[in-house]
Amino acid sequence: MEPHLGPEAAALRHGWPALLLWVSVLSCSFSLPASSPPSLVPQARTSYNFGRTFLGLDKCNACIGTSICKKFFKEEIRSDNWLASHLGLPPDFLLSYPANYSDDSKIWRPVEILRLVSKYQNEISDRRICASASAPKSCSIEHVLRKTERFQKWLQAKRLTPDLVQGLASPLLRCPSQRLLDRVVRRYAEVVDAGSIFMDHFTDRDKLRLLYTLAVNSHPILLQIFPGAEGWPLPKYLGSCGRFVVSTSTRPLQEFYNAPPDQAADLAYQLLGVLESLRSNDLNYFFYFTHIDAGMFGVFNNGHLFIRDASAVGVIDKQEGSQEATGAGENKDIFSCLVSGCQAQLPSCDSISEKQNLVLVCQKLLPRLLQGRFPSPVQDDIDWALAQCGDATRPDPEALGAASQLKDILRPLRTCDSRFAYRYPDCKYNDKF
């Protein structure tokens, strides 16, 4: 790409229609102005203007053609009220924004627009990319990344193999199996004719999008390869590009810390069930968290709890075995350093125990939901089980057994009414719910 030109200069130089200019001629420079004079650019759709200005659709032409870019431009995702406010645009440091989505302009559903990295990390990442090529402060990000040795290997590859992702900072790729990487390619939603394990149908730009997303934040990839529609505890993927993703809206778990006891018991019960599904499932993958906080879990309007942020989730293939990155330091490049320091180290997959998720949740989340909420002796039993499952020194079977006992305690504390629409009215007729 060429060095950055202001929208006015670009329009005059190329003579392109203003609408086309708005969508595609903006370069990967990260110093673009927020708007253009109305004399040259007609009134733009406010939803797309929001995505362009705050979410980075103008970062790179690589976003053009993605599902999320199309949804913004076609007004399937609406955010007009943000720009209509007398306060102007919302603060650009926010990590998430509420919106509404429709694919028929009749039924609108709440969605979340999530930044995959913060505004500060964006700026640091951009500088690192430019510096890696000894470029000025502002450079064509796409041009620099295309020239890297890693991407050149991707261009020649017919299949995504472990050596192509070695050195990337994502927990998902710490010790990937070929079966897992084939699933990534086969289910990648931003290409035409998805379904093959080979990348013959990927354009150069498709490969760069996938590599960049894996390097920045693997959350959108996990939503695609383990969809909620197949029973995985993840929200519906509606699209992503570069540094943001749109998915079904949820309320963060911390908003329920003061919920009524029956609701707290229900959420805690669901959370333990989610951990069970991550440890034991039909596909024989073991999902683990590198760290946990309440913002990583969310609750839908129907009361159903899901993983809201999967960026800290790693995957170990128990069926095929995983090829842990060896000599990862030798494979580090600019893609390894986009969101963290190049010295950041992930734990060895051999060091991940079956109880890791449980210990983290029993230490950090469940006490905030359950402590001091119930009468004795029920509260005493809950506190004992929390202490047992949150003790990192205990053997795996003891911690898992304590979690099972905690579920048995919580089950009768849940009530059956319309607040829990995800299991109501089934819970009136079947003890399973």
Side-chain angles (χ1 to χ4, degrees):
M1 290 182 187
E2 297 177 315
H4 167 63
L5 292 174
E8 304 96 319
L12 294 174
R13 176 174 176 179
H14 295 286
W16 289 359
L19 187 59
L20 181 60
L21 162 70
W22 197 263
V23 178
S24 62
V25 90
L26 295 170
S27 76
C28 290
S29 165
F30 56 92
S31 58
L32 293 169
S35 60
S36 299
S39 59
L40 287 177
V41 179
Q43 182 64 40
R45 290 173 172 148
T46 52
S47 292
Y48 192 73
N49 188 39
F50 176 83
R52 167 186 175 273
T53 305
F54 280 92
L55 302 176
L57 290 182
D58 56 359
K59 287 289 183 186
C60 219
N61 284 347
C63 280
I64 304 307
T66 58
S67 61
I68 193 57
C69 190
K70 293 175 181 176
K71 287 181 172 69
F72 264 108
F73 192 71
K74 290 162 61 180
E75 293 279 331
E76 292 178 356
I77 296 176
R78 294 239 173 130
S79 53
D80 304 65
N81 60 309
W82 299 329
L83 300 173
S85 170
H86 69 282
L87 298 176
L89 292 169
D92 61 359
F93 56 82
L94 293 180
L95 291 177
S96 66
Y97 301 87
N100 290 293
Y101 166 74
S102 175
D103 52 12
D104 61 7
S105 298
K106 296 178 181 177
I107 300 176
W108 292 87
R109 300 186 296 275
V111 296
E112 286 181 298
I113 304 173
L114 300 173
R115 286 187 186 274
L116 298 177
V117 291
S118 68
K119 182 176 184 293
Y120 172 75
Q121 288 173 314
N122 280 348
E123 294 169 352
I124 295 298
S125 175
D126 291 338
R127 293 191 186 103
R128 283 178 179 154
I129 293 172
C130 294
S132 71
S134 300
K137 251 184 173 183
S138 179
C139 69
S140 168
I141 294 172
E142 183 177 353
H143 178 76
V144 172
L145 296 180
R146 280 179 176 274
K147 295 293 185 180
T148 60
E149 181 180 353
R150 185 189 295 269
F151 185 64
Q152 293 303 310
K153 290 181 179 178
W154 272 62
L155 288 178
Q156 301 302 317
K158 299 293 185 183
R159 191 177 186 182
L160 185 59
T161 52
D163 61 295
L164 294 176
V165 297
Q166 281 192 350
L168 299 184
S170 169
L172 173 67
L173 304 172
R174 176 58 183 164
C175 40
S177 65
Q178 188 59 59
R179 182 170 75 118
L180 178 64
L181 295 180
D182 286 345
R183 190 176 181 89
V184 169
V185 172
R186 192 172 68 250
R187 295 193 166 214
Y188 185 51
E190 298 299 339
V191 296
V192 179
D193 298 327
S196 171
I197 64 172
F198 297 103
M199 296 191 290
D200 296 332
H201 57 297
F202 279 52
T203 66
D204 293 358
R205 184 160 285 166
D206 292 333
K207 289 185 176 181
L208 182 58
R209 286 172 184 153
L210 177 56
L211 172 56
Y212 187 84
T213 303
L214 288 170
V216 170
N217 191 316
S218 57
H219 173 73
I221 304 300
L222 279 160
L223 299 191
Q224 294 171 67
I225 65 178
F226 299 109
E230 295 178 6
W232 299 99
L234 292 165
K236 183 177 181 180
Y237 171 82
L238 294 174
S240 68
C241 185
R243 296 167 179 169
F244 75 99
V245 61
V246 178
S247 61
T248 311
S249 181
T250 61
R251 292 175 60 192
L253 181 62
Q254 61 262 36
E255 292 187 10
F256 295 88
Y257 280 164
N258 295 317
D262 61 339
Q263 190 175 22
D266 184 80
L267 292 173
Y269 186 89
Q270 287 190 72
L271 186 51
L272 291 170
V274 166
L275 298 189
E276 282 184 11
S277 70
L278 298 182
R279 181 176 58 86
S280 177
N281 50 74
D282 292 341
L283 293 186
N284 220 10
Y285 286 112
F286 172 54
F287 301 79
Y288 66 92
F289 286 91
T290 58
H291 64 277
I292 273 181
D293 62 63
M296 293 180 175
F297 296 90
V299 182
F300 290 139
N301 289 337
N302 65 359
H304 207 173
L305 181 140
F306 278 72
I307 297 173
R308 183 172 181 256
D309 177 3
S311 58
V313 173
V315 181
I316 296 175
D317 191 336
K318 296 193 293 184
Q319 175 175 305
E320 186 175 291
S322 301
Q323 302 181 31
E324 182 155 1
T326 56
E330 299 175 2
N331 294 286
K332 287 189 174 181
D333 56 10
I334 185 56
F335 285 101
S336 311
C337 314
L338 293 181
V339 293
S340 63
C342 297
Q343 304 307 315
Q345 296 291 331
L346 291 170
S348 167
C349 290
D350 293 334
S351 69
I352 307 299
S353 65
E354 280 195 284
K355 68 183 179 189
Q356 175 161 309
N357 294 340
L358 190 58
V359 169
L360 291 172
V361 166
C362 288
Q363 287 179 350
K364 298 178 181 295
L365 302 186
L366 291 183
R368 300 292 301 273
L369 280 171
L370 300 175
Q371 284 183 345
R373 310 301 299 279
F374 305 92
S376 296
V378 172
Q379 186 67 59
D380 296 334
D381 293 339
I382 289 175
D383 293 344
W384 177 88
L386 285 176
Q388 298 295 305
C389 69
D391 186 350
T393 64
R394 292 191 173 277
D396 286 7
E398 290 187 16
L400 296 173
S404 178
Q405 292 180 53
L406 181 56
K407 283 193 70 178
D408 290 341
I409 297 170
L410 295 173
R411 188 182 185 91
L413 301 177
R414 306 183 306 156
T415 55
C416 179
D417 62 57
S418 58
R419 289 176 299 156
F420 311 104
Y422 77 96
R423 58 183 176 88
Y424 180 86
D426 296 332
C427 54
K428 295 174 63 176
Y429 312 108
N430 190 329
D431 290 341
K432 177 184 176 183
F433 301 99

